[in-house]
Amino acid sequence: MKTIIKPKLEEQRAHAFDKRVMEREAAKGTPDPNVFYRTDTEPIEKIDIMQVREDMKNRGEDITKSDIQREAKLIFIHDHYINIYIYQCADRAENRAAVLFLHGGGFIGGEAGARENQCRYLAEQSGALIISCDYRLAPEQMFPAAVEDACGTLDWMIQQAEALGIDADKIVVAGDSAGANLAANCVFHDSENRIKLAVYIYGALDLTSAQDTFYKWDYTLYQMEEKQKEYIMRRLYRFKHMSELIQKLYVPKGHPMDDPMISPIYADTFQGHPDTLMIEAEFDYFRICNDAYAEKLEKAGSSVEILFYEGMDHAFFDRIGMLEQAADCIREIAKRIIKL
């Protein structure tokens, strides 16, 4: 397993947020340490799901410098339509690689359009065709709706390879957070081994409760600069809390959380997994899970690379144009696509 460390850009202290991340956290006020070990979540009836979704609409900035074309299209999956967006360079070549990109948002929020600037930049840097889909969201459509839409879009993309002008032997699946979970589902769905590269950006690959994980998640598994400790723990708690919320809104009541289609880390086998790039943030709640996932892939004989971004946290990918690290990880993904 190869790990590439990406150092902080504006902060010299070890195990501290990079400057811009800390500025964002400091603007929220002083953390309340009394909440860090809570396991309860607010009653479902009190959740304003539309406000949650509105809060997730951070589109970042368009940093492309060339003509990137965008096409919206409705495609039929099983018994319903979903919307997809196709991004490609205006001066595109034929037989390009193709990327199915799956957005994050905890399965309850986010949208394909919210990752438009990331998809545009990835198309520019890689020359690949990028497809981003609006899979169905919970709680209106609970598991397995999102999985069906992600895997169905993959099948559609491969079936339409000739019409799209892509090389069906150069298929990539990628996603951030919940989208990485769906990308992993696509890999396990791909019995014909059509996917050549999987990219998981701080993937939510284990949705079981922190106390139920086999690797025993705990705050002590993270090294934290003392003066920032409570700010870092607040950020970790937010996604610990979000994971507990997902259990109620995304997963049908009584369904086992260690179902591999819900928590891919519990898959029976990792044999035949494609080359994998895992992008991790130092202060991401799911980092401990991702390390364990990478170990399982390596033991199964898969080629695994980890890009480890020091001083970053979950969702840094959202802030393209504001955090250099977001653009950097897209360029790193593009390098590997070009090599296919």
Coordinates of all heavy atoms in Angstrom, one line a residue, residues 150-235:
A150 N -27.3 4.4 -8.6 CA -25.9 4.5 -8.9 C -25.5 3.3 -9.8 O -24.8 3.5 -10.8 CB -25.1 4.4 -7.6
C151 N -25.9 2.1 -9.4 CA -25.5 0.9 -10.2 C -26.2 0.9 -11.6 O -25.6 0.6 -12.6 CB -25.8 -0.4 -9.5 SG -24.9 -0.6 -8.0
G152 N -27.4 1.4 -11.6 CA -28.1 1.5 -12.9 C -27.5 2.5 -13.8 O -27.5 2.3 -15.1
T153 N -27.0 3.6 -13.3 CA -26.3 4.6 -14.1 C -25.0 4.1 -14.7 O -24.7 4.3 -15.8 CB -26.0 5.9 -13.3 OG1 -27.3 6.4 -12.8 CG2 -25.4 7.0 -14.2
L154 N -24.3 3.3 -13.9 CA -23.1 2.6 -14.3 C -23.4 1.7 -15.5 O -22.7 1.8 -16.6 CB -22.4 1.8 -13.2 CG -21.3 0.9 -13.6 CD1 -20.1 1.7 -14.0 CD2 -20.9 -0.1 -12.5
D155 N -24.5 0.9 -15.4 CA -24.8 0.0 -16.5 C -25.2 0.8 -17.7 O -24.8 0.4 -18.8 CB -26.0 -0.9 -16.0 CG -25.6 -1.9 -15.0 OD1 -24.4 -2.2 -14.8 OD2 -26.6 -2.3 -14.2
W156 N -26.0 1.9 -17.5 CA -26.4 2.7 -18.7 C -25.2 3.3 -19.4 O -25.1 3.3 -20.6 CB -27.3 3.8 -18.2 CG -27.7 4.8 -19.3 CD1 -28.8 4.6 -20.1 CD2 -27.1 6.0 -19.7 NE1 -28.9 5.7 -21.0 CE2 -27.8 6.5 -20.8 CE3 -25.9 6.6 -19.3 CZ2 -27.4 7.7 -21.4 CZ3 -25.5 7.8 -19.9 CH2 -26.3 8.3 -21.0
M157 N -24.2 3.8 -18.6 CA -23.0 4.4 -19.2 C -22.2 3.4 -20.0 O -21.8 3.8 -21.1 CB -22.2 4.9 -18.0 CG -20.9 5.7 -18.5 SD -20.1 6.5 -17.1 CE -19.4 5.1 -16.2
I158 N -22.1 2.2 -19.6 CA -21.4 1.2 -20.3 C -22.1 0.8 -21.5 O -21.5 0.6 -22.6 CB -21.0 0.0 -19.4 CG1 -20.0 0.5 -18.3 CG2 -20.4 -1.1 -20.2 CD1 -19.8 -0.5 -17.2
Q159 N -23.4 0.6 -21.4 CA -24.3 0.2 -22.6 C -24.2 1.3 -23.7 O -24.3 1.0 -24.9 CB -25.7 0.0 -22.1 CG -25.9 -1.2 -21.3 CD -27.2 -1.2 -20.5 OE1 -28.1 -0.4 -20.8 NE2 -27.4 -2.3 -19.7
Q160 N -24.1 2.6 -23.3 CA -24.1 3.7 -24.2 C -22.6 4.1 -24.6 O -22.5 5.2 -25.1 CB -24.8 4.9 -23.6 CG -26.3 4.6 -23.3 CD -27.1 4.4 -24.6 OE1 -26.9 5.1 -25.5 NE2 -28.0 3.4 -24.6
A161 N -21.7 3.3 -24.3 CA -20.3 3.7 -24.5 C -20.0 4.2 -25.9 O -19.3 5.2 -26.1 CB -19.3 2.5 -24.2
E162 N -20.5 3.5 -26.9 CA -20.2 3.9 -28.3 C -20.8 5.2 -28.6 O -20.2 6.1 -29.2 CB -20.7 2.8 -29.3 CG -20.3 3.1 -30.7 CD -20.7 2.0 -31.7 OE1 -21.2 1.0 -31.2 OE2 -20.6 2.2 -32.9
A163 N -22.1 5.4 -28.2 CA -22.8 6.7 -28.4 C -22.1 7.8 -27.7 O -22.1 9.0 -28.2 CB -24.2 6.5 -28.0
L164 N -21.6 7.5 -26.5 CA -20.9 8.6 -25.7 C -19.5 8.9 -26.2 O -18.9 9.9 -25.7 CB -20.9 8.2 -24.2 CG -22.3 8.1 -23.5 CD1 -22.1 7.4 -22.2 CD2 -22.9 9.5 -23.4
G165 N -19.0 8.0 -27.0 CA -17.6 8.2 -27.5 C -16.5 7.9 -26.4 O -15.5 8.5 -26.3
I166 N -16.9 6.9 -25.6 CA -15.9 6.5 -24.5 C -15.4 5.1 -24.7 O -16.0 4.3 -25.4 CB -16.6 6.6 -23.1 CG1 -17.8 5.7 -23.0 CG2 -17.0 8.1 -22.9 CD1 -18.4 5.6 -21.6
D167 N -14.4 4.8 -24.0 CA -13.8 3.4 -24.1 C -14.3 2.6 -22.9 O -14.0 3.0 -21.7 CB -12.2 3.6 -24.0 CG -11.5 2.2 -24.2 OD1 -12.2 1.2 -24.0 OD2 -10.3 2.2 -24.4
A168 N -15.1 1.6 -23.2 CA -15.7 0.8 -22.1 C -14.7 0.0 -21.3 O -15.0 -0.6 -20.2 CB -16.7 -0.2 -22.7
D169 N -13.4 0.0 -21.7 CA -12.3 -0.6 -20.9 C -11.6 0.4 -20.0 O -10.6 0.1 -19.4 CB -11.3 -1.2 -21.9 CG -11.9 -2.5 -22.6 OD1 -12.7 -3.2 -21.9 OD2 -11.6 -2.7 -23.7
K170 N -12.1 1.7 -20.0 CA -11.5 2.7 -19.2 C -12.6 3.4 -18.3 O -12.9 4.6 -18.4 CB -10.8 3.8 -20.0 CG -9.6 3.2 -20.8 CD -9.0 4.3 -21.6 CE -7.8 3.8 -22.4 NZ -7.2 4.9 -23.2
I171 N -13.3 2.6 -17.5 CA -14.4 3.0 -16.6 C -13.9 3.3 -15.2 O -13.2 2.5 -14.6 CB -15.5 2.0 -16.6 CG1 -16.1 1.8 -18.0 CG2 -16.6 2.5 -15.7 CD1 -16.6 3.0 -18.7
V172 N -14.2 4.4 -14.7 CA -13.8 4.9 -13.3 C -15.1 5.2 -12.5 O -16.1 5.8 -13.1 CB -13.0 6.1 -13.4 CG1 -12.6 6.6 -11.9 CG2 -11.7 5.9 -14.2
V173 N -15.2 4.7 -11.3 CA -16.2 5.2 -10.4 C -15.6 6.0 -9.3 O -14.5 5.6 -8.8 CB -17.1 4.0 -9.8 CG1 -17.9 3.4 -10.9 CG2 -16.3 3.0 -9.1
A174 N -16.2 7.1 -8.9 CA -15.7 7.9 -7.9 C -16.8 8.6 -7.1 O -17.9 8.7 -7.6 CB -14.8 9.0 -8.5
G175 N -16.5 9.0 -5.9 CA -17.5 9.7 -5.1 C -17.0 10.2 -3.8 O -15.9 9.7 -3.3
D176 N -17.6 11.2 -3.2 CA -17.2 11.7 -1.9 C -18.2 11.3 -0.9 O -19.4 11.4 -1.1 CB -17.0 13.2 -2.0 CG -18.3 14.0 -2.3 OD1 -18.9 13.8 -3.4 OD2 -18.7 14.8 -1.5
S177 N -17.7 10.9 0.3 CA -18.6 10.6 1.5 C -19.6 9.5 1.1 O -19.3 8.4 0.8 CB -19.2 11.9 2.0 OG -19.8 11.7 3.3
A178 N -20.9 9.9 1.2 CA -21.9 8.9 0.8 C -21.8 8.5 -0.6 O -22.1 7.3 -1.0 CB -23.3 9.5 1.1
G179 N -21.3 9.4 -1.5 CA -21.1 9.0 -2.9 C -20.0 7.9 -3.0 O -20.1 7.1 -3.9
A180 N -19.0 7.9 -2.1 CA -18.0 6.9 -2.1 C -18.6 5.6 -1.7 O -18.2 4.5 -2.2 CB -16.8 7.3 -1.2
N181 N -19.5 5.6 -0.8 CA -20.2 4.4 -0.4 C -21.0 3.8 -1.6 O -20.9 2.6 -1.9 CB -21.2 4.7 0.7 CG -22.1 3.6 1.2 OD1 -22.8 3.0 0.4 ND2 -22.1 3.3 2.4
L182 N -21.6 4.7 -2.4 CA -22.3 4.2 -3.6 C -21.3 3.7 -4.7 O -21.6 2.8 -5.4 CB -23.2 5.3 -4.1 CG -24.3 5.8 -3.2 CD1 -25.1 6.9 -3.8 CD2 -25.3 4.6 -2.9
A183 N -20.2 4.4 -4.8 CA -19.1 3.9 -5.7 C -18.7 2.5 -5.4 O -18.4 1.7 -6.2 CB -18.0 4.9 -5.7
A184 N -18.5 2.3 -4.1 CA -18.1 0.9 -3.6 C -19.2 -0.1 -4.0 O -18.9 -1.2 -4.4 CB -17.8 0.9 -2.1
N185 N -20.4 0.3 -3.8 CA -21.5 -0.6 -4.3 C -21.5 -0.9 -5.7 O -21.7 -2.0 -6.2 CB -22.9 0.0 -3.9 CG -23.4 -0.4 -2.5 OD1 -23.9 -1.5 -2.4 ND2 -23.2 0.5 -1.6
C186 N -21.1 0.1 -6.5 CA -20.9 -0.1 -8.0 C -19.8 -1.2 -8.3 O -20.0 -2.0 -9.1 CB -20.6 1.2 -8.7 SG -22.0 2.4 -8.8
V187 N -18.8 -1.1 -7.5 CA -17.7 -2.0 -7.7 C -18.1 -3.5 -7.4 O -17.9 -4.4 -8.1 CB -16.5 -1.7 -6.8 CG1 -15.4 -2.8 -6.7 CG2 -15.8 -0.4 -7.2
F188 N -18.9 -3.6 -6.3 CA -19.3 -5.0 -5.9 C -20.4 -5.4 -6.9 O -20.6 -6.6 -7.1 CB -19.8 -5.0 -4.5 CG -18.8 -4.8 -3.5 CD1 -18.7 -3.8 -2.6 CD2 -17.7 -5.8 -3.4 CE1 -17.7 -3.6 -1.7 CE2 -16.7 -5.7 -2.5 CZ -16.7 -4.6 -1.6
H189 N -21.2 -4.5 -7.5 CA -22.2 -4.8 -8.5 C -21.5 -5.2 -9.8 O -22.1 -6.0 -10.6 CB -23.0 -3.6 -8.7 CG -23.9 -3.6 -9.9 ND1 -25.1 -4.3 -10.0 CD2 -23.8 -3.0 -11.1 CE1 -25.7 -4.1 -11.2 NE2 -24.9 -3.3 -11.9
D190 N -20.3 -4.8 -10.1 CA -19.6 -5.0 -11.3 C -19.0 -6.4 -11.4 O -17.8 -6.5 -11.4 CB -18.6 -3.9 -11.5 CG -17.9 -4.0 -12.8 OD1 -18.5 -4.5 -13.8 OD2 -16.7 -3.6 -12.9
S191 N -19.9 -7.4 -11.6 CA -19.4 -8.8 -11.7 C -18.5 -9.1 -12.9 O -17.7 -10.0 -12.9 CB -20.6 -9.7 -11.7 OG -21.4 -9.5 -12.8
E192 N -18.6 -8.2 -13.9 CA -17.8 -8.4 -15.1 C -16.5 -7.6 -15.1 O -15.7 -7.6 -16.1 CB -18.6 -8.0 -16.4 CG -19.9 -8.8 -16.6 CD -20.7 -8.3 -17.7 OE1 -20.1 -7.6 -18.6 OE2 -21.9 -8.5 -17.8
N193 N -16.2 -7.0 -14.0 CA -14.9 -6.3 -13.8 C -14.6 -5.3 -14.9 O -13.6 -5.2 -15.4 CB -13.7 -7.3 -13.7 CG -13.8 -8.2 -12.5 OD1 -14.2 -7.8 -11.5 ND2 -13.4 -9.5 -12.7
R194 N -15.7 -4.5 -15.1 CA -15.6 -3.4 -16.1 C -14.9 -2.2 -15.6 O -14.3 -1.4 -16.3 CB -17.0 -3.1 -16.7 CG -17.7 -4.3 -17.3 CD -19.1 -4.0 -17.5 NE -19.8 -3.8 -16.2 CZ -21.1 -3.6 -16.0 NH1 -21.9 -3.6 -17.1 NH2 -21.7 -3.4 -14.8
I195 N -15.0 -2.0 -14.3 CA -14.4 -0.8 -13.6 C -12.9 -1.0 -13.5 O -12.4 -2.0 -12.9 CB -15.0 -0.6 -12.2 CG1 -16.5 -0.3 -12.4 CG2 -14.3 0.6 -11.5 CD1 -17.3 -0.3 -11.1
K196 N -12.1 0.0 -13.9 CA -10.7 -0.1 -13.8 C -10.0 0.7 -12.7 O -8.9 0.4 -12.3 CB -10.0 0.3 -15.2 CG -10.4 -0.6 -16.3 CD -10.0 -2.0 -16.1 CE -10.3 -2.9 -17.3 NZ -11.8 -3.2 -17.4
L197 N -10.8 1.7 -12.2 CA -10.3 2.5 -11.1 C -11.4 2.9 -10.2 O -12.5 3.4 -10.7 CB -9.5 3.7 -11.6 CG -9.1 4.7 -10.6 CD1 -8.0 4.2 -9.7 CD2 -8.5 6.0 -11.3
A198 N -11.3 2.8 -8.9 CA -12.2 3.3 -7.9 C -11.6 4.3 -7.1 O -10.5 4.2 -6.6 CB -12.7 2.1 -7.0
V199 N -12.3 5.4 -6.9 CA -11.8 6.6 -6.2 C -12.8 6.9 -5.0 O -13.9 7.2 -5.3 CB -11.6 7.8 -7.0 CG1 -11.0 9.0 -6.2 CG2 -10.7 7.5 -8.2
Y200 N -12.3 6.8 -3.8 CA -13.1 7.0 -2.6 C -12.6 8.2 -1.9 O -11.5 8.2 -1.4 CB -13.1 5.8 -1.7 CG -13.5 4.5 -2.3 CD1 -12.9 3.3 -2.1 CD2 -14.6 4.5 -3.2 CE1 -13.2 2.1 -2.6 CE2 -15.0 3.3 -3.8 CZ -14.3 2.1 -3.5 OH -14.7 0.9 -4.1
I201 N -13.4 9.3 -1.9 CA -13.0 10.6 -1.3 C -13.6 10.6 0.1 O -14.8 10.7 0.2 CB -13.4 11.8 -2.1 CG1 -12.8 11.7 -3.5 CG2 -12.9 13.1 -1.4 CD1 -13.4 12.7 -4.5
Y202 N -12.8 10.5 1.2 CA -13.3 10.3 2.6 C -14.6 9.6 2.6 O -15.7 10.0 3.1 CB -13.3 11.6 3.3 CG -13.9 12.9 2.6 CD1 -15.3 13.0 2.3 CD2 -13.1 13.9 2.2 CE1 -15.8 14.1 1.7 CE2 -13.6 15.0 1.6 CZ -14.9 15.1 1.3 OH -15.4 16.2 0.7
G203 N -14.6 8.3 2.1 CA -15.8 7.5 2.0 C -16.5 7.2 3.3 O -15.8 6.8 4.3
A204 N -17.8 7.2 3.3 CA -18.6 6.7 4.4 C -18.9 5.3 4.2 O -19.9 4.8 3.8 CB -19.9 7.5 4.5
L205 N -17.8 4.5 4.5 CA -17.9 3.0 4.1 C -18.3 2.1 5.2 O -18.4 0.9 5.1 CB -16.5 2.6 3.6 CG -16.0 3.4 2.4 CD1 -14.5 3.0 2.1 CD2 -16.9 3.3 1.2
D206 N -18.6 2.7 6.4 CA -19.2 2.0 7.5 C -20.2 2.9 8.2 O -19.8 3.9 8.8 CB -18.1 1.6 8.5 CG -18.6 0.7 9.6 OD1 -19.8 0.4 9.7 OD2 -17.7 0.3 10.5
L207 N -21.5 2.5 8.2 CA -22.5 3.3 8.8 C -23.0 2.7 10.1 O -24.0 3.2 10.6 CB -23.7 3.4 7.8 CG -23.4 4.1 6.4 CD1 -24.7 4.2 5.6 CD2 -22.8 5.5 6.6
T208 N -22.3 1.7 10.6 CA -22.7 1.2 11.9 C -22.3 2.3 13.0 O -21.5 3.2 12.7 CB -22.0 -0.1 12.3 OG1 -20.5 0.1 12.2 CG2 -22.3 -1.2 11.3
S209 N -22.9 2.2 14.1 CA -22.6 3.1 15.2 C -21.2 3.0 15.6 O -20.6 1.9 15.6 CB -23.5 2.9 16.4 OG -24.9 3.0 16.0
A210 N -20.6 4.1 16.1 CA -19.2 4.2 16.5 C -18.8 3.1 17.5 O -17.8 2.4 17.4 CB -18.8 5.5 17.1
Q211 N -19.7 2.8 18.4 CA -19.4 1.8 19.5 C -19.5 0.4 19.0 O -19.1 -0.6 19.6 CB -20.3 2.0 20.7 CG -21.8 1.8 20.4 CD -22.5 3.0 20.0 OE1 -21.9 4.0 19.5 NE2 -23.9 3.0 20.1
D212 N -20.1 0.2 17.7 CA -20.3 -1.1 17.2 C -19.3 -1.5 16.2 O -19.2 -2.7 15.7 CB -21.7 -1.3 16.5 CG -22.8 -1.1 17.5 OD1 -22.6 -1.4 18.7 OD2 -23.9 -0.6 17.1
T213 N -18.4 -0.6 15.8 CA -17.4 -0.9 14.7 C -16.4 -1.9 15.3 O -16.0 -1.9 16.4 CB -16.7 0.4 14.3 OG1 -16.0 1.0 15.4 CG2 -17.7 1.4 13.7
F214 N -15.9 -2.8 14.4 CA -14.9 -3.8 14.8 C -13.6 -3.1 15.2 O -12.7 -3.7 15.9 CB -14.7 -4.9 13.8 CG -14.2 -4.4 12.5 CD1 -12.8 -4.3 12.3 CD2 -15.0 -4.0 11.4 CE1 -12.3 -3.9 11.1 CE2 -14.5 -3.6 10.2 CZ -13.1 -3.6 10.0
Y215 N -13.3 -1.9 14.6 CA -12.1 -1.2 14.9 C -12.2 -0.2 16.1 O -11.3 0.5 16.4 CB -11.6 -0.4 13.7 CG -12.7 0.3 13.0 CD1 -13.1 1.6 13.3 CD2 -13.4 -0.3 11.9 CE1 -14.2 2.2 12.7 CE2 -14.4 0.4 11.2 CZ -14.8 1.6 11.6 OH -15.8 2.3 11.0
K216 N -13.4 -0.2 16.7 CA -13.7 0.5 18.0 C -13.3 2.0 17.8 O -12.4 2.5 18.4 CB -12.9 -0.1 19.1 CG -13.2 -1.6 19.4 CD -14.7 -1.8 19.6 CE -15.0 -3.2 19.9 NZ -16.5 -3.5 20.0
W217 N -14.1 2.7 17.0 CA -13.9 4.1 16.8 C -13.9 4.9 18.1 O -14.7 4.7 19.0 CB -14.9 4.7 15.9 CG -14.7 6.1 15.5 CD1 -14.0 6.5 14.3 CD2 -15.0 7.3 16.2 NE1 -13.9 7.9 14.3 CE2 -14.5 8.4 15.5 CE3 -15.6 7.6 17.4 CZ2 -14.6 9.7 15.9 CZ3 -15.7 8.9 17.9 CH2 -15.2 10.0 17.1
D218 N -13.0 5.9 18.2 CA -12.9 6.7 19.4 C -12.1 7.9 19.1 O -11.2 7.9 18.2 CB -12.2 6.0 20.6 CG -12.4 6.7 21.9 OD1 -13.5 6.6 22.6 OD2 -11.4 7.4 22.3
Y219 N -12.3 9.1 19.8 CA -11.6 10.3 19.6 C -10.1 10.1 19.8 O -9.3 10.8 19.2 CB -12.1 11.4 20.5 CG -13.5 11.8 20.2 CD1 -14.6 11.4 21.1 CD2 -13.8 12.7 19.2 CE1 -15.9 11.9 20.8 CE2 -15.1 13.1 18.9 CZ -16.1 12.7 19.8 OH -17.4 13.1 19.5
T220 N -9.7 9.2 20.7 CA -8.3 9.0 21.0 C -7.5 8.4 19.9 O -6.3 8.3 19.9 CB -8.2 8.1 22.3 OG1 -8.8 6.8 22.0 CG2 -8.9 8.7 23.5
L221 N -8.2 7.9 18.8 CA -7.5 7.4 17.7 C -6.9 8.5 16.8 O -6.2 8.2 15.8 CB -8.4 6.5 16.8 CG -9.0 5.3 17.5 CD1 -10.0 4.6 16.7 CD2 -7.8 4.3 17.9
Y222 N -7.2 9.8 17.1 CA -6.7 10.9 16.4 C -5.7 11.7 17.3 O -6.0 11.9 18.5 CB -7.8 11.9 16.0 CG -8.9 11.3 15.1 CD1 -9.9 10.4 15.7 CD2 -8.9 11.5 13.8 CE1 -10.9 9.9 14.9 CE2 -9.9 10.9 13.0 CZ -10.9 10.1 13.5 OH -11.8 9.6 12.7
Q223 N -4.6 12.1 16.7 CA -3.7 13.0 17.4 C -4.2 14.4 17.1 O -4.5 14.8 15.9 CB -2.3 12.8 16.9 CG -1.7 11.5 17.3 CD -0.2 11.3 16.7 OE1 0.0 11.0 15.6 NE2 0.7 11.6 17.6
M224 N -4.2 15.3 18.1 CA -4.8 16.6 18.0 C -3.9 17.6 18.7 O -3.5 17.4 19.8 CB -6.2 16.7 18.6 CG -7.2 15.6 18.1 SD -8.8 15.8 18.9 CE -9.4 14.1 18.8
E225 N -3.6 18.7 18.0 CA -2.9 19.8 18.6 C -3.7 20.3 19.8 O -4.9 20.6 19.7 CB -2.7 20.9 17.6 CG -1.5 21.9 17.9 CD -2.0 23.0 18.9 OE1 -3.2 23.3 18.8 OE2 -1.2 23.5 19.6
E226 N -3.1 20.5 21.0 CA -3.8 20.7 22.2 C -4.7 21.9 22.1 O -5.9 21.9 22.6 CB -2.9 20.8 23.4 CG -3.5 20.8 24.8 CD -4.3 19.5 25.0 OE1 -3.8 18.4 24.5 OE2 -5.3 19.5 25.7
K227 N -4.3 23.0 21.6 CA -5.1 24.3 21.6 C -6.3 24.2 20.6 O -7.2 25.0 20.7 CB -4.2 25.5 21.2 CG -3.1 25.8 22.2 CD -2.3 27.0 21.8 CE -1.3 27.4 22.9 NZ -0.5 28.6 22.5
Q228 N -6.2 23.2 19.7 CA -7.3 23.1 18.8 C -8.2 21.8 19.1 O -9.1 21.6 18.4 CB -6.8 22.9 17.3 CG -6.1 24.2 16.8 CD -5.8 24.0 15.3 OE1 -6.2 23.1 14.6 NE2 -5.2 25.0 14.7
K229 N -7.8 21.1 20.1 CA -8.5 19.8 20.4 C -10.0 19.9 20.4 O -10.7 19.1 19.7 CB -8.0 19.3 21.7 CG -8.4 17.9 22.0 CD -7.8 17.3 23.3 CE -8.2 15.9 23.5 NZ -7.6 15.3 24.7
E230 N -10.6 20.8 21.1 CA -12.0 20.9 21.2 C -12.7 21.3 19.8 O -13.8 20.8 19.5 CB -12.5 21.8 22.3 CG -12.2 21.3 23.7 CD -12.7 22.1 24.8 OE1 -13.2 23.2 24.5 OE2 -12.7 21.7 25.9
Y231 N -12.0 22.1 19.0 CA -12.5 22.4 17.7 C -12.4 21.2 16.8 O -13.4 21.0 16.0 CB -11.6 23.5 17.1 CG -11.8 24.9 17.8 CD1 -11.0 25.3 18.8 CD2 -12.8 25.7 17.4 CE1 -11.1 26.5 19.5 CE2 -13.0 27.0 18.1 CZ -12.2 27.3 19.1 OH -12.3 28.5 19.7
I232 N -11.4 20.4 16.9 CA -11.3 19.2 16.1 C -12.3 18.2 16.5 O -13.0 17.6 15.6 CB -9.8 18.6 16.2 CG1 -8.8 19.6 15.6 CG2 -9.8 17.2 15.5 CD1 -7.4 19.2 15.8
M233 N -12.5 18.0 17.8 CA -13.5 17.1 18.3 C -14.9 17.5 17.9 O -15.7 16.6 17.6 CB -13.4 16.9 19.8 CG -12.1 16.2 20.2 SD -12.0 16.0 22.0 CE -13.3 14.8 22.4
R234 N -15.1 18.8 17.9 CA -16.5 19.3 17.4 C -16.7 18.8 16.0 O -17.8 18.4 15.6 CB -16.6 20.8 17.5 CG -17.9 21.3 17.0 CD -18.1 22.8 17.3 NE -17.2 23.6 16.6 CZ -17.1 24.9 16.8 NH1 -17.9 25.5 17.7 NH2 -16.3 25.7 16.1
R235 N -15.7 19.0 15.1 CA -15.9 18.6 13.7 C -16.1 17.1 13.6 O -16.9 16.6 12.8 CB -14.6 19.0 12.9 CG -14.8 18.9 11.4 CD -15.9 19.8 10.9 NE -15.9 19.8 9.5 CZ -17.0 20.3 8.8 NH1 -18.0 20.7 9.4 NH2 -16.9 20.2 7.5

